Every structure is written in structure tokens, then in C-alpha cells.
Amino acid sequence: MKEYNHLKIEKKWQKEWEKKGIYHAEDKSKKPKFYGLIEFPYPSGEGLHVGHIRSNTAMDIICRKRRAEGFNVLYPIGWDAFGLPTENYAIKTGIHPQKVTKKNTDIFRKQLKAGGFSFDWSREVNTTDPEYYKWTQWIFLKMYEKGLAYKDKININWCPKDKIGLANEEVVDGCCERCGTEVEKREKEQWMLAITKYAERLDKDLDDVNFLEKIKIQQRNWIGRSEGVEIEFRLSGVGHPTAIKVFTTRPDTIFGATFIALAPEIAKKITGKDFGIKIEIDRENKEKIGVDTGLKAKNPANGEMLPVFVVNYVSAEYGTGAIMGVPADDERDKEFAEKYKLPIIENYKKAGFKDYGKKITQFKLRDWVFSRQRYWGEPIPMINCEKCGWVPVPERDLPVELPKVKNYQPTDSGESPLANITKWVNVKCPKCKGHAKRETDTMPNWAGSSWYFLRYIDPKNKKSFADFKKLKYWLGNDPRHSGVDWYNGGMEHTTLHLLYSRFWHKFLFDIGVVPTSEPYAKRTSHGMILAEGGVKMSKSKGNVINPDEIIKIYGADTLRIYEMFIGPFDQSVAWSTDSIIGSRRFLERVWNLQYKVQKNKKYTEFEIEKTIKKVSEDIEEMKFNTAISTLMIFVNEIGKLDFISQDVYETFLKLLSPFAPHMTEGLWKILGHKNSINFESWPVYDLSKIKNKQIKIVVQINGKVRAEIMIRAEISEEEVKKQAISNETVSRHLSGKEIKKVIYVKNRLINIVV
RNA sequence: GCCCGAGUGGCGGAAUUGGUAUACGCGCACCACUUAAAAUGGUGUCCCGUAAGGGAUGUGGGUUCGAUUCCCACCUCGGGCACCA
């Protein structure tokens, strides 16, 4: 008997599969296609996380099953490599981020290959490759051309300690994510993308995609669509001809309005005065403050003159920046009214929805701040000419490559380090050939990840980001109901990445370069893997599990099985090194079953049909933990027998192969097959083969289990009742009692009510 | 404050449309094999009780012949949003 040697087996088959390129997707195929996608990793210096193994294995199992079901499968991988950690490392060490990225991707690649994932490595993409970001820049230029990219003076988050502009997502509770310093607002010219123009469609089209409900809910909350009415309140008294427009979702409460509240910016616009009211960033300070502007506004419903206040709880960025205060119906207005002794009307008359204004739709979604004052990102391909203003870099000059710099530290003025490279910055205007300067801001790291799944389809194309025919094949022909077939990723990317990439895709659809209006047909999400004890894995806590070591000791197959068995796929789970042994023991049992195989004996006693059904269904629902427990139960049962017929063993190996590809491949060859188990078709089940001559029925009395009886299948209800009542234990419990009712659930239980 | 999700043995967790609660795995105990240990195999393992039986799925109530599952109220934990008018 040969022992299960995972090191030898895994190395051997990984080499063989790579050599033969068996996981390469075909661009021209008569088979139906399946495009399975995972979020491409950020190659951090910390190496692969066991969480990567979890989500990659899940999609790997689905893709392997699809191949066995006869699909032409695309399961690609790449690197989302622009970003802060690499840049910060460069600032600290002076090593070029490209070098760091190369080193990290090499490590990640090696680690992923050791996991035995069926990626098509020939399509690897890297967002920091100029051949890749050329097209990221190209998409930006198209957006500029269509008026979706524009420059605007806005408040950005500024960390006074790091002297750096921060993205919203880098601000945690009003403080810098890295140094904890309180963030200030600073006005700065930024490139913006008009995602709000797509708000309506981004919301509505969620109806047509197969995303998990909680993902749709989060997207909808983020977009924040609400229908209301815009009402004009005419100003009078101080010689103001203007009116104040108010947005409300409750126009029916207009008779209860006792004041008007303005955002500070709006008040300044109307009166030209600064009232010293500020909207605090500090979220804990929720006390409502206001100043009376002295203006009066006429309520169009009843002609009453209402005082107009500047307040700190109305934002200029939502609605019209002005509200009607209805203290009787709104908690915030009530708090304000009580503090400033304003009247609170109860029992006022209700108005109709559109009686005093016109219906409009508002969104919480804001336009996307697209500029970063950083080095390690895609340069924004724009040139500022003294005469012509902003001029896009001509397409033929793409990509605008990142120049070499000596110092990656941002400048004191908050500009990108690129601003110091005068040779790079100073250019001729493409229009008038006059003196001009390049934009020195770069794109956020959400840019490259907004379209990477399209590049996988045609990664080496030099003429376009991807050939349209290939896009049509892999995304489908139906413009409304297609895209990547199945996209799995983390919940943390539900609002930003998922929304941004849907926005970009819709834009590309509108200009006719992609065939579908939605990028992803189906989206699911995984839970995180936490350290033992349920805390986050982190270097500083020293509780990070390195997958390499687990693979070395137990094998990739064991790690894969363990991570799929660890708990429900969509929930967070705590790592437990002690429990891995169970997955290893299971695989060893499977391995040892080969010595019980008898070639010519037909095996009829045990039903593999149920196992096929359950495992097949569980994979589709991502219930990998119960799929594995089903496989374990089968092995436990079959292990009790003296011999196993080869056909049953082979069917079992096919079911196990997506989970443990290396071992099953090894066994497949040992059984005498020349071809890879990867080319075998997925087992089908035939429920009619399950012969249940005897069925176990539970007998309850008043809902309490008292006995079990065996019945023949298909006997009548009357006979089952007779048999149940005649049971010894049952009759003992029934003696001296009157039977009121008998409930019979077919093939399951009988409940006698006394 | 609002919106999601989850509370089941010592631990990770199972449970079809409401139908045997605790599958599968870890751990633990005992047995076999062994000079011994490890490994492996076997048996047992929610609680009380010798047993018959009784009690348990965060807490309290309800619907039902029957509730982990459905309804109401509350508590705890995780995630998201946050003065959104």
C-alpha cells in the first residue's frame, strides 16, 4: 500500500496541467461558454491570505464543474496593482513601486499556482502595465469626450500631518486612516466623473440582474433614490426677488411647516452673508444650531410668512440645500424648533402630493472624485494649455506613462510628486503647439478594476481594449440579460467597486463598444476568514496564517477541502488549525479506498445517486460545507464494505475532483485511465434507481416521538395507521386515551393526537 | 438612529414547502492493534434521571396536531449607512 504523498502528487499534476494548458479558454468554440470571475487580488507585501484561497477555491469548484458539464470555461486571474501600500513602501525605501509590484506578483503567482486553481494563466493582466493602463486612459478620454469627465473645485479630505489628499474611503470617522489625525476640508480642483447621470439606470437595472438580495439592497441604499417634490417659497421683506426652492418627500405636511432651514452655502449664496454656521465633520456633535437670517418666506399653501434659518443640519449637497421645517412630523425639525422656541402645529390639514410643486427624483449618490495627488496610479491623460485650456492627450500618444521620479513623497502644496518632474510636465499643446503642462494627478485605484474583466477576454489586443466579436462571445448577445456569468467577491466591494464598474460598463455600452448594458449577470459574496478567536488576522497581532505552510504540511487539496468545510461560504468564520486534520483524514480514507476496488464486480447495494444529487445542488448554491459532509458520509458508508466496484469509486472521484483536483487526478490515473479526470463529464443522477423497499416512519403522540416503524413503500395511509397503533410502545401510550385526530405525512411521520 | 445578517453541544456547524433538533468534522472518554507511543480502526459523547420519562435551538409571548423554521415584543453580536429632508 502506497501512502498518500500530497507533495509529490500535487507538484506532478500542477506541472502536467500547466504543460498541456488544459485550463486555457478557447475563443472559438461550439460549446456553450461560462465566464467565472473572482476579484483580482492586490499583490500586497504580506503575501496570499487564506481568505484568497477560500474565494478562489469556491469559484474554482464551480468552473471545474462547468467544464465537466461541457462548457467552454473562462476563469482568469490578474493583478490590481496600483495603490497605496506599494506607494507607501516606495516612499519609505526608495525602491520603485514597479519593482515592488513585480516582486509581490511573483510571490502571489507562485502561491496561487500551489493552490491548484484552474486559472487560464495565459490571460494574466496587470493594471500597472502601460499596455493595460493605456486603455484605462482611453476610457477616461472617451468619458471626457462625452462630457462625463469634468474639472471642479470641491472640498477634499486633507490630512495636515501627512500633507496628503485622502479619498473618502481613506477617512475613518473623520480621521486619517493611517495616522489618525483629524481630517480637514480643503478646496481643490479635481477631476470628476458624472456617475450621477447614470444614477437612475444603476438603480433600475438592478431589477434585471441576479445579485444576492443583500447586495442589491446595499447598492440601492448607496444610490439612495427618493421621490419627492420641489416647492418654491417666495422671499419677501428685504428686497429679495428670489425664491427658495425646497425639496421634500413629504409635501403632504406643508401645512405643518413653521420655518425654513438653509444649508450654510445656500444661505451665503442668497444673502451674501456668512452666518458662521458650519456643518461639522465630527459626527458625534449632533446638536442642532441655527441663526435667523431675518428673511421671511411665504408658504404657498396658506400664505403664512415663515422665518428663514441657517442651520448646521442641512447639507448643500443634497436636494436643494433647503428644507421646510415641519417640527410636528420630523424628529430633527422638532429638536431644532424646541431649542429656538418655534411653533409646533399639531393636527394640521394634509395636502396632496403635487399640490404645491413639481415631482422630482433625488439621489444620495455624488459624482466620483477621480483625482489623486499620488504617484502610483494611472496618469490622467490631460494637458492644460495657457491658450486652449484643457486638451485631451491624442489617442495616438497613449499610454501616458509614469515617469521615473527620485522621491515618491507628495509635495507640500498637496500636489502629486509628478509635479516636480518638469521635463515630463512641460509639453506642447496638442492643439496649438504652444506652451502647456500635463495634468499631474493620477487616477484612483478603482479605475483599473472597473473594466479588467473585459481585458481578460482579449488581453493582448493592441488595437482596442478587446475585440467586439470576442466580447460578444464571452458576454453574450442579449444586451439586457448577459455579462460575466458569475462574479464572486467580498461585501466590502459592493458599493464602490461594483457600482463603479457597472457605471463604466454602461458608458461603454452607450458608446457601442461592449455588447451588454450590465457587466455581471450574477453576483455572490463570500465571508471573511478571521484568526482563531474571531479577530481579524494582522501582522501586528502575529496571527496571520500563511497558506504555504499549510500546503506544505497537509497539501493544497486538504487546505481546499478544509476551507470549503469550515462553515457557510457567505459568512465570516474563524480559522482553526486543529480542525484541518479532519479534512486530511477524509482524503486519506479516499486514497485508501483504491485498495478495495474490484474491477468486475457490480456494486448495487449503496446508492450513489443521492450523493450525486446533493453534491451537484450544493455546489450551485455555494453550500460547499454540506457538499463535503455528503461526500464524507458516502466515504464512511462505503468504507464499511468489503469491496467497492470501480464504477462507483470513479463516480465518487468525479464528484470530489473539483474540491481536491490533484488527488483525484492521481487516483484516476492509477485506475488505468490515460486521459485527465478534467475531461470527464459530470455524473448525472437517476432518482428512480434509489430503491427504498422499506421506509422508516416516525410515530408521534401529541407531537412527541414515541416509536419508529418500518413500512413497505406505497402501502395505504390506513395500513400505516394500523401498523403504528399496533406498535407496542405506541399502544402503551395510547391505553385509556381517546384518539382525536391522526396526521400522516407521507414517508415521514404519523402524529396521533389524543 | 436607520438598513441588512446571525444567535443551536466543550468548539466549527447540520436540519426539504413547518414534520425524528444536534448530520458532518474537531475535541474528549473508553476499547482494539503495539514492548510502548504515534498513527489507524471501533464504541460512546446536549442536559437531568438507574430506568420509565422529562427538559433544551438568545429571552418572553403567540399561531399550529407539530416551530431552529412563521408572527409580535425584547436582548446580544457582526456588517453597512448616517443630520439624505
Side-chain angles (χ1 to χ4, degrees):
Chain A
M1 277 210 345
K2 263 195 202 168
E3 262 184 42
Y4 169 43
N5 182 336
H6 63 271
L7 289 174
K8 243 178 155 176
I9 291 171
E10 290 176 2
K11 220 175 164 184
K12 180 178 173 183
W13 297 113
Q14 281 169 14
K15 238 173 136 181
E16 172 101 1
W17 294 333
E18 179 145 15
K19 203 175 87 195
K20 293 191 174 163
I22 65 166
Y23 300 126
H24 289 190
E26 303 163 52
D27 280 323
K28 281 176 192 167
S29 171
K30 282 179 184 164
K31 294 176 182 175
K33 62 94 188 181
F34 179 81
Y35 187 171
L37 184 67
I38 49 153
E39 285 166 348
F40 60 165
Y42 176 75
S44 75
E46 318 230 318
L48 202 69
H49 191 275
V50 284
H52 288 117
I53 304 270
R54 189 186 196 194
S55 49
N56 293 4
T57 303
M59 189 49 75
D60 193 46
I61 288 166
I62 290 160
C63 285
R64 285 174 184 275
K65 179 167 180 273
R66 285 290 181 280
R67 284 193 199 94
E69 287 167 337
F71 286 83
N72 176 30
V73 170
L74 173 57
Y75 187 31
I77 182 75
W79 317 105
D80 186 14
F82 276 129
L84 277 179
T86 307
E87 179 164 343
N88 291 336
Y89 187 78
I91 290 170
K92 226 163 66 186
T93 62
I95 303 171
H96 195 287
Q98 188 70 67
K99 266 193 182 162
V100 181
T101 299
K102 166 94 174 52
K103 190 182 133 209
N104 289 347
T105 51
D106 285 347
I107 294 167
F108 264 66
R109 190 181 300 107
K110 205 177 151 199
Q111 288 186 298
L112 284 174
K113 286 193 173 177
F117 304 113
S118 62
F119 292 130
D120 180 348
W121 283 99
S122 72
R123 293 169 184 257
E124 197 178 329
V125 302
N126 186 323
T127 55
T128 66
D129 180 354
E131 284 302 305
Y132 180 91
Y133 69 68
K134 172 183 176 178
W135 298 107
T136 313
Q137 292 173 335
W138 181 85
I139 296 169
F140 177 87
L141 289 180
K142 287 288 162 193
M143 289 195 156
Y144 179 77
E145 196 184 306
K146 301 287 174 192
L148 288 173
Y150 63 97
K151 235 184 175 184
D152 196 13
K153 204 174 227 182
I154 57 146
N155 280 325
I156 62 160
N157 307 299
W158 178 259
C159 173
K161 192 178 168 232
D162 290 355
K163 287 176 184 161
I164 213 162
L166 300 172
N168 282 333
E169 52 275 14
E170 292 159 336
V171 180
V172 179
D173 288 331
C175 295
C176 173
E177 183 190 46
R178 291 173 306 157
C179 68
T181 309
E182 197 171 314
V183 167
E184 297 170 358
K185 290 277 178 190
R186 227 188 219 205
E187 223 176 41
K188 233 178 164 325
E189 283 251 313
Q190 302 282 297
W191 283 101
M192 308 285 292
L193 295 185
I195 190 172
T196 51
K197 288 198 178 163
Y198 280 75
E200 182 79 56
R201 280 163 71 191
L202 286 168
D203 181 82
K204 190 169 166 280
D205 292 356
L206 285 170
D207 291 341
D208 297 327
V209 290
N210 180 13
F211 291 4
L212 288 183
E213 203 49 40
K214 62 176 172 180
I215 294 174
K216 285 193 184 182
I217 289 168
Q218 264 196 35
Q219 289 239 332
R220 288 216 160 96
N221 287 345
W222 189 265
I223 297 166
R225 183 181 199 280
S226 71
E227 281 184 356
V229 168
E230 211 175 81
I231 301 171
E232 266 192 13
F233 285 70
R234 293 194 167 273
L235 286 174
S236 71
V238 229
H240 284 276
T242 11
I244 294 171
K245 277 184 183 168
V246 153
F247 175 73
T248 178
T249 53
R250 293 290 309 279
D252 57 307
T253 64
I254 192 163
F255 286 102
T258 58
F259 64 99
I260 296 292
L262 304 178
E265 293 91 329
I266 302 296
K268 200 176 174 184
K269 235 187 210 172
I270 292 173
T271 63
K273 276 189 257 173
D274 190 336
F275 293 90
I277 297 284
K278 271 186 192 160
I279 297 207
E280 303 287 326
I281 302 169
D282 181 6
R283 288 169 179 172
E284 280 176 32
N285 179 14
K286 284 186 174 177
E287 202 198 336
K288 312 241 174 314
I289 305 170
V291 172
D292 194 337
T293 61
L295 299 171
K296 301 279 178 216
K298 190 174 174 185
N299 186 339
N302 54 15
E304 252 176 63
M305 300 308 286
L306 305 176
V308 178
F309 283 81
V310 195
V311 302
N312 69 339
Y313 71 96
V314 171
S315 158
E317 289 171 10
Y318 185 77
T320 57
I323 61 160
M324 57 179 199
V326 185
D329 249 282
D330 186 287
E331 278 297 314
R332 295 154 302 172
D333 294 344
K334 192 179 168 190
E335 196 187 323
F336 185 80
E338 279 170 354
K339 187 170 170 190
Y340 290 93
K341 310 252 180 320
L342 294 163
I344 300 167
I345 309 170
E346 310 282 357
N347 292 326
Y348 53 82
K349 198 171 109 192
K350 292 265 169 188
F353 197 77
K354 288 190 286 182
D355 286 358
Y356 303 101
K358 65 169 200 264
K359 194 177 143 188
I360 58 163
T361 306
Q362 278 292 336
F363 296 92
K364 284 191 214 171
L365 190 66
R366 300 273 74 92
D367 274 351
W368 177 3
V369 183
F370 202 64
S371 293
R372 297 290 184 277
Q373 296 71 47
R374 305 276 183 172
Y375 174 76
W376 195 227
E378 300 89 344
I380 293 175
M382 296 296 292
I383 292 167
N384 195 5
C385 172
E386 287 165 4
K387 279 188 202 161
C388 316
W390 285 107
V391 179
V393 172
E395 237 182 275
R396 62 172 183 278
D397 292 342
L398 295 182
V400 177
E401 287 196 46
L402 276 171
K404 290 216 166 92
V405 298
K406 278 185 196 145
N407 189 356
Y408 304 98
Q409 194 85 39
T411 62
D412 279 354
S413 62
E415 282 182 292
S416 154
L418 292 175
N420 289 332
I421 317 299
T422 43
K423 241 178 139 180
W424 182 80
V425 171
N426 292 311
V427 284
K428 278 184 190 168
C429 170
K431 242 187 191 168
C432 71
K433 308 291 172 202
H435 182 250
K437 286 180 179 233
R438 282 190 191 282
E439 171 60 76
T440 59
D441 282 356
T442 55
M443 300 187 193
N445 64 330
W446 307 105
S449 60
S450 290
W451 71 282
Y452 72 111
F453 56 95
L454 298 172
R455 189 62 178 171
Y456 284 141
I457 288 170
D458 198 6
K460 293 181 182 82
N461 196 324
K462 298 220 168 200
K463 287 184 194 156
S464 67
F465 67 87
D467 176 71
F468 194 75
K469 270 189 196 158
K470 288 182 184 172
L471 289 168
K472 246 180 159 174
Y473 174 75
W474 284 110
L475 298 179
N477 281 318
D478 180 350
R480 281 193 67 79
H481 299 285
S482 298
V484 170
D485 292 273
W486 195 331
Y487 188 21
N488 184 74
M491 275 315 277
E492 70 274 19
H493 290 126
T494 299
T495 41
L496 300 179
H497 161 64
L498 204 61
L499 204 67
Y500 290 155
S501 62
R502 288 182 62 221
F503 162 48
W504 276 38
H505 195 83
K506 283 184 180 302
F507 169 73
L508 294 173
F509 175 69
D510 288 351
I511 62 168
V513 293
V514 297
T516 63
S517 74
E518 281 287 330
Y520 319 115
K522 177 172 183 168
R523 167 79 182 194
T524 53
S525 75
H526 55 252
M528 279 193 298
I529 294 190
L530 304 168
E532 307 211 20
V535 291
K536 215 172 170 184
M537 280 190 194
S538 74
K539 233 182 188 173
S540 57
K541 281 180 195 143
N543 56 11
V544 177
I545 300 290
N546 182 350
D548 294 350
E549 280 172 38
I550 307 292
I551 287 174
K552 205 169 137 194
I553 300 168
Y554 299 97
D557 282 340
T558 298
L559 178 60
R560 292 166 63 110
I561 294 274
Y562 169 67
E563 290 209 19
M564 291 298 98
F565 187 60
I566 192 168
F569 182 67
D570 60 345
Q571 282 172 35
S572 291
V573 282
W575 180 267
S576 163
T577 299
D578 286 346
S579 303
I580 299 173
I581 191 71
S583 300
R584 170 74 190 195
R585 282 179 193 147
F586 165 63
L587 288 182
E588 278 174 6
R589 273 180 214 135
V590 173
W591 177 260
N592 291 332
L593 280 178
Q594 65 174 293
Y595 303 107
K596 280 189 176 185
V597 168
Q598 299 217 357
K599 249 192 172 157
N600 300 320
K601 285 201 181 173
K602 273 280 170 191
Y603 172 61
T604 51
E605 283 297 308
F606 197 78
E607 310 142 354
I608 194 161
E609 306 292 329
K610 274 200 276 194
T611 306
I612 299 171
K613 181 172 189 285
K614 177 82 172 129
V615 171
S616 304
E617 288 170 355
D618 280 355
I619 290 174
E620 294 305 319
E621 290 169 47
M622 301 189 115
K623 291 180 175 175
F624 304 107
N625 53 337
T626 50
I628 289 171
S629 84
T630 305
L631 293 168
M632 285 173 169
I633 291 167
F634 185 82
V635 168
N636 291 347
E637 289 297 318
I638 213 170
K640 290 175 192 159
L641 306 168
D642 298 332
F643 73 90
I644 320 158
S645 76
Q646 185 157 338
D647 59 330
V648 166
Y649 189 51
E650 287 184 357
T651 303
F652 175 78
L653 291 180
K654 287 181 203 168
L655 292 178
L656 179 62
S657 67
F659 298 86
H662 310 89
M663 172 200 258
T664 48
E665 179 78 316
L667 287 168
W668 192 250
K669 297 292 164 70
I670 287 168
L671 291 172
H673 295 280
K674 282 195 180 140
N675 264 333
S676 167
I677 195 167
N678 283 283
F679 301 131
E680 289 300 313
S681 54
W682 190 249
V684 287
Y685 57 89
D686 179 359
L687 285 182
S688 69
K689 279 190 186 165
I690 299 174
K691 292 167 203 157
N692 268 341
K693 287 174 193 163
Q694 293 277 308
I695 299 166
K696 191 168 77 180
I697 295 278
V698 168
V699 185
Q700 295 184 335
I701 294 166
N702 287 347
K704 284 207 157 85
V705 180
R706 296 298 179 190
E708 283 170 8
I709 55 169
M710 298 304 291
I711 59 159
R712 276 179 297 109
E714 287 144 28
I715 64 167
S716 73
E717 191 175 328
E718 275 309 306
E719 278 179 85
V720 178
K721 281 181 194 168
K722 256 190 222 162
Q723 216 173 311
I725 289 164
S726 63
N727 178 282
E728 199 188 322
T729 322
V730 176
S731 57
R732 180 158 52 82
H733 276 97
L734 289 178
S735 66
K737 283 163 190 159
E738 186 197 343
I739 297 175
K740 280 187 186 160
K741 202 172 170 186
V742 178
I743 290 131
Y744 177 58
V745 183
K746 204 181 174 202
N747 296 344
R748 215 165 251 289
L749 63 72
I750 184 160
N751 188 14
I752 303 166
V753 185
V754 296

